[in-house]
Amino acid sequence: KKLQQKSLKKNLQMMRRNSSVDLSLFLLIAKIGKTRGLKGEFFLRSFAQNPETLFSFKKFYALSTSAMEEVHFEFMRESNSNIVAKLKSINDIDEAKAYGQKDIFVLKSELPELDENEAYWFELEGMQVTNLEGQHLGQVQEVNNFGASDVLEVKSLNKKTKNILIPFIKNRVIISIDKSKNSILVDWQEDY
């Protein structure tokens, strides 16, 4: 259920500076990729943990020069483990190329509710991390995935220690997530 965001913070920060749009209301969920065929279809790269999550949303948005505009998909479907899509306003390959590499957003308010001990990646950023011994390890700076599993990058309170990387393995390393207290309890040591 949780949505994965790649490290696009710099891109989003640039857009935030250049735009009056409040990007904190939106979540980057996909990116328009290469064209497919001649009729305006393209590949859509999902940032969701489960790519089919895209199919559950009704409204999508793309950032134009000064506003977040709703984009209307004619269809979005799975094809050979890829997602192929077409916007209603696009009918040929040249029009599709103009949309290439555009980021696709959804409103955070339209995200599905999660269970009590679950969180979206964007919710984890900024949370305080404490281990089972009660030692405060720091604050989550980023959530990444380097291939094997999701990883919390925690800014250490100890100035001698670089950022701490904690694997996001629920019920083993990640003991609990408390959104109301903005905290994560982990079975991890600062010097691991």
Side-chain angles (χ1 to χ4, degrees):
K1 283 185 176 181
K2 68 181 186 274
L3 299 176
Q4 297 182 344
Q5 284 187 295
K6 296 295 178 188
S7 214
L8 297 169
K9 284 183 174 183
K10 290 179 186 173
N11 190 18
L12 290 175
Q13 287 169 345
M14 278 180 34
M15 286 190 286
R16 190 174 283 133
R17 273 187 243 120
N18 298 335
S19 170
S20 60
V21 175
D22 184 359
L23 287 176
S24 68
L25 300 173
F26 296 89
L27 181 68
L28 178 63
I29 194 166
K31 187 178 206 75
I32 293 176
K34 294 180 181 179
T35 59
R36 178 183 183 264
L38 301 173
K39 296 183 180 181
E41 296 177 6
F42 50 82
F43 290 101
L44 194 60
R45 180 174 175 225
S46 172
F47 297 128
Q49 181 180 20
N50 180 355
E52 286 112 30
T53 301
L54 281 177
F55 306 143
S56 66
F57 293 101
K58 294 183 180 16
K59 291 186 177 186
F60 297 90
Y61 302 87
L63 189 63
S64 68
T65 52
S66 63
M68 194 63 84
E69 294 178 358
E70 188 173 352
V71 291
H72 302 278
F73 285 94
E74 186 172 312
F75 65 80
M76 192 184 301
R77 68 175 181 258
E78 213 170 347
S79 173
N80 298 330
S81 72
N82 291 310
I83 297 176
V84 175
K86 182 179 179 308
L87 293 174
K88 286 184 180 178
S89 60
I90 294 178
N91 295 309
D92 65 45
I93 190 170
D94 293 325
E95 291 174 344
K97 281 181 182 176
Y99 268 85
Q101 303 305 309
K102 230 182 204 329
D103 292 329
I104 302 296
F105 298 84
V106 294
L107 281 168
K108 287 181 181 177
S109 60
E110 294 185 12
L111 293 172
E113 290 288 320
L114 297 177
D115 293 336
E116 189 176 314
N117 199 26
E118 294 183 329
Y120 290 105
W121 273 23
F122 72 88
E123 294 176 313
L124 297 174
E125 292 177 3
M127 283 192 173
Q128 301 301 317
V129 179
T130 306
N131 67 14
L132 292 171
E133 289 76 31
Q135 181 185 20
H136 186 229
L137 299 179
Q139 184 179 43
V140 177
Q141 295 298 298
E142 229 178 325
V143 183
N144 289 302
N145 186 306
F146 300 111
S149 70
D150 300 337
V151 176
L152 297 178
E153 185 174 338
V154 177
K155 183 172 183 176
S156 175
L157 297 174
N158 184 345
K159 294 184 184 195
K160 295 176 184 174
T161 307
K162 292 184 179 181
N163 287 355
I164 303 166
L165 299 178
I166 301 174
F168 195 90
I169 303 170
K170 290 192 78 170
N171 303 322
R172 198 158 134 219
V173 177
I174 306 298
I175 305 304
S176 66
I177 299 168
D178 189 337
K179 290 191 255 188
S180 65
K181 292 183 181 174
N182 198 38
S183 66
I184 301 172
L185 181 64
V186 298
D187 185 4
W188 201 256
Q189 299 297 318
E190 184 178 36
D191 57 354
Y192 280 2

